[in-house]
Amino acid sequence: MQNRQESGEPPWTILRILRWTTSHFRSRHIENPRASAEILLAHALGIRRIDLYLRHDQPLMPEERERFRELIRRRLRHEPVAYIVGRRGFWTLELSLSPAVLIPRPETECLVEAALECLPRNPENRILDLGTGSGAIILSLAAERPENRFYASDRSPAALEIAKANAAGNGLEGKIHFFCGDWFAPLCPEIPGFDLIVSNPPYIRSAEIRDLQPEISFEPKAALDGGPDGLAEIRQIVGQARNYLAADGFLIMEIGCDQAGEVVRMAEKCGAYDQIRCTADYSARDRVVQMRRKAEKRLAHCEAI
């Protein structure tokens, strides 16, 4: 894409620049080249994606081309599209994003589906999201079941600011009580138990992070790194959640696609849960584990897991 229109050269219309950018991204091994080109061009022009095709023969002004050129440079450095445009759709929401939070993935919507299935329509339900990040999970649940009471935590103050902004931007300001802390640390076991605890904790093995696609390097490592076996944070949540769940309350977590067996055994060994099961994501890979806290009186600690 040249800086200026040369004599006799066809104009840089929306369609022509889309084709050029898609080809350029493909030659540089950029993931999803066509979608990347469309989203970035729509963002540069301040229009909807569908408008690119409704206005396909519209020439770009020099300042529009320069604005788009800068977005291309960023994408060629493998910066994720969601960070470049600062937003992403999830469930029924539009979320603001920054490198302070993970980019919500489609498979995390499977966790939302599982939570809604086991959540009775009861205005007294108390729901907690651990490690909320952008707020994607808790805000999706609040949008679907606004009669409940919602709580969300994150160890990162920057992440909480984004989650609060997303609550306000989706008409849910004041619906969620946000607090800062590491998992259950700010909570007292004597409080009334939660009917549902959800989490998308770090679950990637430390040694595997460097081998992931380059886009991942832009995301917060603390939200990805699950320790040597990928289960360090999951182990902590399973071990402690039973002290914060109401009798018959559910714990639902996203897990790695090869971790279902180990997490199920972990929950069984703890002895505090029943109805332990895994559900698959849209690619038929185990992705969500859920377990119900047994109705017996809470104990001070689980068996070591």
Side-chain angles (χ1 to χ4, degrees), residues 74-106:
R74 293 174 65 181
R75 187 70 187 105
L76 289 173
R77 294 194 291 268
H78 295 280
E79 184 175 353
V81 170
Y83 287 157
I84 296 175
V85 303
R87 64 180 185 274
R88 180 154 184 170
F90 180 87
W91 198 251
T92 61
L93 311 174
E94 185 74 13
L95 301 175
S96 296
L97 298 175
S98 86
V101 297
L102 285 181
I103 299 168
R105 268 64 170 185

Side-chain angles (χ1 to χ4, degrees), residues 2-13:
Q2 299 298 316
N3 284 322
R4 61 185 179 83
Q5 190 75 40
E6 296 181 4
S7 177
E9 183 185 6
W12 282 104
T13 62

Side-chain angles (χ1 to χ4, degrees), residues 106-252:
E107 52 264 30
T108 304
E109 294 187 355
C110 299
L111 189 156
V112 175
E113 291 174 353
L116 291 171
E117 286 176 7
C118 75
L119 187 63
R121 291 189 176 275
N122 178 353
E124 298 304 313
N125 287 324
R126 292 162 49 85
I127 299 151
L128 170 64
D129 180 15
L130 293 170
T132 194
S134 66
I137 297 169
I138 199 71
L139 294 176
S140 298
L141 295 175
E144 297 290 339
R145 301 287 178 84
E147 68 276 9
N148 293 301
R149 290 179 288 172
F150 299 93
Y151 304 82
S153 71
D154 203 287
R155 69 184 69 171
S156 165
L160 285 176
E161 290 305 310
I162 292 171
K164 291 175 184 178
N166 282 327
N170 285 278
L172 296 167
E173 189 171 19
K175 288 293 297 180
I176 295 98
H177 175 71
F178 293 99
F179 59 95
C180 191
D182 189 9
W183 302 133
F184 296 101
L187 299 175
C188 175
E190 287 73 31
I191 64 172
F194 293 98
D195 300 283
L196 174 65
I197 297 176
V198 294
S199 185
N200 179 13
Y203 55 74
I204 299 174
R205 296 172 183 85
S206 301
E208 295 176 356
I209 291 178
R210 62 177 179 269
D211 298 324
L212 298 174
Q213 57 265 48
E215 282 81 359
I216 299 295
S217 66
F218 287 84
E219 300 193 65
K221 184 179 179 182
L224 298 166
D225 192 341
D229 63 355
L231 298 171
E233 308 297 339
I234 292 174
R235 190 175 290 112
Q236 182 175 345
I237 293 171
V238 171
Q240 295 182 14
R242 51 83 53 77
N243 291 320
Y244 301 90
L245 280 168
D248 299 324
F250 280 90
L251 170 63
I252 304 180

Side-chain angles (χ1 to χ4, degrees), residues 63-77:
E63 60 270 21
E64 292 172 332
R65 288 172 58 191
E66 182 54 39
R67 198 157 55 238
F68 183 47
R69 188 178 290 110
E70 177 55 29
L71 302 184
I72 291 173
R73 293 190 189 105
R74 293 174 65 181
R75 187 70 187 105
L76 289 173
R77 294 194 291 268

